[in-house]
Amino acid sequence: QVHFALAAAMAQPISNPFGGSNAGASPQNDLQFFSGGFGAPGFAAPTPMGPTSQGGFASINTSAGSVDACGPDDGDMFDEPPLLEELEIEPEKIKRRIMSVVFFKSVDQDLAESDMWGPILIVAAMAACLLLHGKVHFGYIYGLAICGCCGLWFLLNVMSQKGGVDLMTVMSILGYGLLPVDFLAFVAIFISMKGFLGLVFGTATVVWCTLTASRFFETAVHMDHQRWLIAYPVGMVYAWAVLITVF
C-alpha cells in the first residue's frame, strides 16, 4: 500500500507556487524573469555620449537630471599659463640682465625690478665652484650676503630722496652683480689665485661688480647724482666675496 501511495503522489502534476500548473509547459515558458532594464518606470535611458558640433561632449540624461561631461565651457584647463609663467620665471629678462652685467649695457627700469631666480642661480654657481675648489664656505656666503643686503637696503632708503627701495630689489641687484665673482671662482679651480695674479684679478672683479651694481641701483632708486656714493658700500660688499674666492 505504501508503494502504491508513493506512486500515486508522484503521478500528480507539480503545482506552481506562483500560480498555475507546470504540466505540459515548455522549458522556455518557465524561464521568465523580470524585464525591467532601461524601459522600467523611474529610469530614463542614457543618451550616448559623443562629440558635438561645438567641440564638446553630449550630456548624460537621467531621472535625477542631466550631467554635462566636458562641455565647451570646461576647456579652461587647456588655457592655463605655462609653468615658468606661474613661477614668475622670465628667461628673456634674466638673459638681458646677465648681458647687461657682462657687456656693461644700459639698464632700463624694467630690468631694475626685483627678480630672485637669476641671483639664486648665480649664488648656486659660485657655491659649486668653491666646492670644486675644496672650499666649503656656505655659512660665510649666506651670512655675509644677508648682512650686506640688509645694511645696503637701510643705507639706500636713508639716502634716497625719491622714494625708497624694497629689500628684494636690493638682493636681486647684488645677486646679478655677483656674476663676475662666478667667473673668478671658476678660473680659481684651475689656476691658483694666491699671489700677484689673485690681487690683479680680484681687484678687477671688485671694480667690475661695483660698476655694474651701482648702475642698477642708480636706475632702480633714481639716484642720478649719487652713484659714486652708492659705489663705495657696494664695493665693500663684493670685496668679501672676492676674498672668500681667492683665499
Side-chain angles (χ1 to χ4, degrees), residues 35-243:
S35 59
F38 296 128
F43 189 93
T47 304
M49 185 173 61
T52 61
S53 59
Q54 288 80 11
F57 288 88
S59 61
I60 301 176
N61 297 323
T62 62
S63 60
S66 61
V67 179
D68 293 331
C70 300
D73 296 336
D74 298 331
D76 296 338
M77 59 179 297
F78 300 104
D79 299 332
E80 293 182 355
L83 180 60
L84 293 179
E85 186 175 346
E86 289 186 354
L87 296 176
E88 296 183 358
I89 302 176
E90 301 179 358
E92 185 62 29
K93 287 188 177 181
I94 294 176
K95 178 182 177 182
R96 289 172 57 191
R97 291 186 180 101
I98 292 177
M99 292 296 103
S100 299
V101 173
V102 174
F103 299 107
F104 295 96
K105 292 183 177 181
S106 59
V107 181
D108 54 6
Q109 185 65 33
D110 188 26
L111 293 181
E113 295 178 355
S114 61
D115 169 49
M116 293 306 300
W117 291 105
I120 288 175
L121 294 177
I122 293 174
V123 173
M126 176 184 174
C129 291
L130 293 178
L131 185 62
L132 292 175
H133 196 254
K135 298 178 180 180
V136 185
H137 299 313
F138 300 107
Y140 293 103
I141 293 175
Y142 299 142
L144 292 174
I146 293 175
C147 293
C149 290
C150 293
L152 195 58
W153 168 73
F154 175 76
L155 184 61
L156 287 173
N157 283 280
V158 171
M159 295 174 58
S160 177
Q161 300 177 355
K162 299 181 180 180
V165 60
D166 58 318
L167 183 60
M168 298 295 291
T169 302
V170 175
M171 296 175 65
S172 175
I173 294 176
L174 289 178
Y176 277 106
L178 199 66
L179 183 61
V181 183
D182 285 4
F183 299 151
L184 181 65
F186 180 75
V187 175
I189 299 176
F190 309 100
I191 301 175
S192 177
M193 292 293 174
K194 296 181 179 179
F196 180 76
L197 187 62
L199 178 63
V200 173
F201 278 97
T203 304
T205 302
V206 172
V207 173
W208 187 357
C209 296
T210 303
L211 293 176
T212 300
S214 61
R215 189 174 71 253
F216 271 90
F217 280 122
E218 181 184 8
T219 305
V221 194
H222 306 287
M223 303 174 68
D224 301 332
H225 303 289
Q226 296 175 317
R227 177 181 178 182
W228 302 114
L229 292 177
I230 305 173
Y232 176 73
V234 170
M236 296 297 294
V237 172
Y238 288 119
W240 66 262
V242 172
L243 289 175

